[in-house]
Amino acid sequence: MQRQVLLGLCAIGAAAAMAADEGIVVGAWDCPVFTTGSGRVCLFDKEGNVARTAPTGNNADAWHLANGNFLFADGDVKEYDPQGKLVWTYKPEVQDGGGAYACQRLANGNTVVGENASGRVVEVDRDGKVVFALDTKPETKNAHDHMRMCRKLANGNYLVCMKGDKKVKEFRPDGSVVWEHAFKNITFAAVRLPNGNTLVSSLDQVTEVTPDGKEVWVFTPADLPELGIRNMCGLHVLKNGNIVIGNYAAYDKDGKGVGMFEITRGKKLVWAYVSPGRKDKSMMAVQKIDGDFNPLR
């Protein structure tokens, strides 16, 4: 299997390849990477080998925190320490359709939770008490598709991917909508960029949108056809402008595809991680660990 995968990616210029313990890395992988997998979150070291894992359910969002803990949302929101001990959890009251698929640890110690099932964005303190709640009023009736990623922005507003509505909305704390943009496919992750634009993944493309709704940059699988990219979900925008992308149901029936990869703004491949038929068939959240534990995600 590894030889087949490597041959399938050999068109990527003169990129180096190395066989990690569970997959193949092609290109310049130079930092640890934290990601969701299939039934786990996983920290890969700078050689692409598995350093630590923690078990999860259907996991869509995950963070490697500065203290070394893993924070992730797989219906509930959980935090594991480096010894593998569960040290904090939050369980949404509404579970039908999937409780929570988004989380974000704030500087004050509270945690933002995207309650997919209820359609709420809440902030939860360390005692598990909800100290703020925002009803996003999703239009779709499918409780599984109310929302995916949500983030509290520096301005105090909340950027929310309204998955089934195929929109991204920015809400004020009072629930009013400051900004929104509609997409052709379901929305999964959204990142507010330093220039004020918003970068959004919607499975078959990643799009940069200006505050006035102009789509000024688009990346699609056709830009790197040799990878066989499927279902782009997780986004991590690096300080140098590069983008790390994670993929859901990443491989087709013949094993073609890519779990996660990094590209430049010029749409050039930096590295790709491939593991068809192995543990990580879906990598819905990605975080490159380059020393910045408040990454732009």
Side-chain angles (χ1 to χ4, degrees):
M1 177 62 77
Q2 284 191 349
R3 179 172 174 78
Q4 291 173 352
V5 173
L6 184 55
L7 289 175
L9 290 175
C10 66
I12 307 174
M18 58 184 176
D21 58 2
E22 300 199 20
I24 286 182
V25 177
V26 177
W29 177 305
D30 57 355
C31 289
V33 175
F34 181 61
T35 180
T36 60
S38 297
R40 67 179 185 172
V41 288
C42 188
L43 176 64
F44 292 91
D45 65 22
K46 63 181 181 180
E47 281 75 43
N49 296 307
V50 174
R52 284 171 50 204
T53 66
T56 76
N58 182 22
N59 187 12
D61 198 7
W63 300 79
H64 184 275
L65 303 178
N67 62 3
N69 289 2
F70 294 170
L71 180 72
F72 57 87
D74 65 351
D76 300 337
V77 179
K78 302 169 186 173
E79 182 179 350
Y80 280 82
D81 69 15
Q83 290 71 47
K85 179 182 178 182
L86 179 65
V87 296
W88 187 81
T89 187
Y90 171 74
K91 185 178 184 67
E93 291 183 8
V94 181
Q95 289 286 319
D96 291 345
Y101 290 136
C103 59
Q104 176 192 13
R105 178 61 46 80
L106 302 178
N108 65 2
N110 290 350
T111 303
V112 173
V113 177
E115 292 189 346
N116 169 70
S118 71
R120 298 193 312 168
V121 176
V122 301
E123 290 187 26
V124 184
D125 66 18
R126 292 299 295 180
D127 295 325
K129 179 183 177 182
V130 174
V131 296
F132 170 82
L134 165 68
D135 185 357
T136 65
K137 297 180 172 62
E139 299 166 22
T140 181
K141 303 303 181 184
N142 184 348
H144 182 66
D145 289 341
H146 284 163
M147 70 170 70
R148 283 305 183 264
M149 298 305 96
C150 67
R151 298 289 183 255
K152 187 171 187 177
L153 302 175
N155 63 7
N157 293 342
Y158 300 85
L159 191 65
V160 184
C161 291
M162 310 296 293
K163 181 189 173 189
D165 298 345
K166 300 180 181 178
K167 296 177 181 179
V168 173
K169 294 184 178 183
E170 180 183 346
F171 294 89
R172 296 185 183 93
D174 65 7
S176 58
V177 177
V178 180
W179 178 87
E180 68 178 274
H181 191 79
F183 295 83
K184 296 177 182 178
N185 210 334
I186 63 174
T187 53
F188 198 93
V191 176
R192 180 60 47 81
L193 301 175
N195 64 4
N197 294 349
T198 304
L199 192 72
V200 178
S201 64
S202 55
L203 296 189
D204 52 5
Q205 69 180 53
V206 175
T207 311
E208 182 178 347
V209 186
T210 65
D212 59 358
K214 294 179 180 178
E215 297 185 359
V216 294
W217 185 89
V218 175
F219 175 83
T220 74
D223 290 311
L224 289 174
E226 65 272 22
L227 291 183
I229 298 167
R230 293 161 49 89
N231 303 316
M232 292 182 286
C233 291
L235 295 176
H236 181 188
V237 181
L238 307 177
K239 288 181 177 179
N240 63 5
N242 288 2
I243 306 166
V244 184
I245 299 173
N247 304 285
Y248 171 75
Y251 306 99
D252 65 19
K253 61 182 178 59
D254 297 319
K256 183 179 180 181
V258 58
M260 56 182 172
F261 60 97
E262 180 182 339
I263 58 171
T264 68
R265 292 288 290 186
K267 305 180 184 179
K268 302 297 183 182
L269 182 68
V270 179
W271 56 262
Y273 176 84
V274 182
S275 63
R278 296 168 183 263
K279 291 183 179 299
D280 299 309
K281 297 179 182 179
S282 293
M283 291 176 156
M284 288 187 281
V286 285
Q287 181 183 354
K288 189 173 182 181
I289 310 299
D290 60 357
D292 182 359
F293 286 94
N294 253 322
L296 192 59
R297 293 183 56 232

